[in-house]
Each structure stands twice: as structure tokens, then as C-alpha cells.
Amino acid sequence: MQILRIDSATTGVNSVSRILTQAITDHLTAKHPEATLIQRDLVTDPLPHIDAAATGAIRLPQDSHDEAMAAAFPAERAVLDQFLASDIVVIGAPMYNFTIPSQLKAWLDRLGVPGVTFTYKDGAPQGLAGGRRVIVASSRGGAYEMGGTAEHQETLLRDFFAFIGIPDVEFVRAEKTGFGPEARDQAIADARARVAGL
């Protein structure tokens, strides 16, 4: 079994999502001591935003790659292969300005690959990347569960993974972390209780 941990928060030791990804991976590796844990920090080792060469390397057949695409292909494909080789993917996803950090979006952009993780059949999308578990450590400064304020963080992740064949994304959520130290501590405690039930 392989567990892949992805972190994207830029707040370092103050990151709530990193506290949660640590708690989740600690829990999972205790349950599955035989598992291999791979960690990818998109802040200390960021992926560049995709450009023409990366897009072509990811999406076009290798025999149609130009020189820049061919040079980019090994590193670009390695990101996707790491994801596809994983049985469980733990993603730290803080909300930044109502959505996910751009570092995390750059990682997602390498997973949506026609003919590999999705295709179209009879005019409808069909996900090809099922068979793995995705757990999102979601942290948000405000309160969004009750609606009222638009959020494009969890909804984006839910929609993206459903599109590539993983409809049952699990969320471990810490909300209201910006409401003060007591609210932050309570949110983390509540999220840790959720982790124990994974």
C-alpha cells in the first residue's frame, strides 16, 4: 500500500491543514504499518504553473511532442504516476480567498489527463482514476457549512476528483479557525476526533 501526502499551505508551523495532514497520516500509518508514505510539499518544492510545454507533455501523444515537450515529459508524467501509484491520497487544502492555493491547483492540473484519468463516452465524461481513496484536510478561517457565502475550495476538489472517477472524497474539516485562538483550538480538536473515525 502507498499513501501520498500532499501539503499546500504557505503558513508553515501556523498551518491548520498541515496539523491535520500529519494527524491523518499518523492515523493511517498506524492502521497500515506496512504502507509506504510519500510526502510532497508543494510550498518547499513547488510545481510551476503549466505552460505550453507542460500542457503538451501531459496531453499530447509522445510521438507528437516537440523538443520542449519531450524535455518536460518525464517530470510532468512523474507527478501523475505518483498519484496513480497511490492507494490513499491525503491532501492538505486550506481555503485561500474562497478557493485552494495556486500551488495545489498546479498539482491538480497535472492529474486531469485525457485518456489517462478521464475520457468521454457517449457525450459524457467518464473518470478513469477510480480505485483509490482521497482524504482532504480542509481548513477555513470562516464558517461555510451553513451556506450563505460562496466557497470554491471543497466544491472544486469534490468536482475535480468526481470527474476523474473518485466521487467519494472524504473531508476532515476545521472551520472558524480565524475566529480567535479558542475557536481555532476547538476546530482542530473536532477535526482530530473525525480523524480517529477514518
Side-chain angles (χ1 to χ4, degrees), residues 7-11 18 40-46 103:
D7 282 301
S8 64
T10 61
T11 49
R18 288 176 184 269
R40 182 169 210 129
D41 191 323
L42 298 173
V43 176
T44 60
D45 187 18
Q103 292 91 340

Side-chain angles (χ1 to χ4, degrees), residues 71-94:
F73 178 79
E76 296 297 335
R77 182 63 193 222
V79 177
L80 175 61
D81 287 343
Q82 186 180 65
F83 170 77
L84 293 175
S86 300
D87 303 285
I88 304 175
V89 182
V90 178
I91 301 169

Side-chain angles (χ1 to χ4, degrees), residues 11-84:
T11 49
V13 295
N14 296 313
S15 167
V16 172
S17 69
R18 288 176 184 269
I19 291 171
L20 298 184
T21 55
Q22 185 66 56
I24 294 166
T25 53
D26 286 349
H27 175 75
L28 293 172
T29 54
K31 285 182 69 173
H32 305 283
E34 80 289 354
T36 299
L37 175 63
I38 296 175
Q39 301 184 65
R40 182 169 210 129
D41 191 323
L42 298 173
V43 176
T44 60
D45 187 18
L47 294 166
H49 294 291
I50 58 172
D51 57 12
T55 300
I58 294 166
R59 293 178 165 255
L60 297 178
Q62 281 186 266
D63 60 10
S64 65
H65 286 177
D66 62 23
E67 187 175 335
M69 294 173 191
F73 178 79
E76 296 297 335
R77 182 63 193 222
V79 177
L80 175 61
D81 287 343
Q82 186 180 65
F83 170 77
L84 293 175

